Amino acid sequence: MNAVTEMPAPFNFTDNAAKKVKELIDEEGNPELKLRVFVSGGGCSGFQYGFTFDEVVNDDDTALNKDGVTLLIDPMSYQYLVGAEIDYSEGLEGSQFVIKNPNATSTCGCGSSFSL
């Protein structure tokens, strides 16, 4: 079993996001699932956010637990997400996970990519 580094993460995983993740995990019927948030190269602004469900916790992942849900962030993505808020939004544009990142100097129109 992998040891998870659990530190007080300098980001805000909102109640709304944790609730939605819990609903999605319950729908899948697999309580071992965790939400992995990551940053990768690409998108119209240079970097883009990604979300996936993962059962595997890597040794160097940062885990944030809230309301029975675990959020995982790898070390490379961690540096870009410090100070960010991870939320779930429902509006006219549809329903989606949203990252409000104070480190981003610009974002694209859809909000899924950013630059530093």
Side-chain angles (χ1 to χ4, degrees), residues 41-96:
C44 53
S45 294
F47 294 99
Q48 60 188 357
Y49 302 114
F51 300 91
T52 188
F53 282 108
D54 202 339
E55 292 181 354
V56 178
V57 178
N58 299 317
D59 290 336
D60 56 357
D61 282 340
T62 296
L64 177 63
N65 296 301
K66 182 167 194 163
D67 300 334
V69 172
T70 302
L71 177 75
L72 300 174
I73 300 176
D74 65 87
M76 193 284 295
S77 299
Y78 184 95
Q79 64 186 328
Y80 297 111
L81 293 169
V82 171
E85 177 181 87
I86 299 159
D87 195 10
Y88 183 76
S89 168
E90 294 183 23
L92 295 174
E93 302 83 31
S95 301
Q96 61 186 347

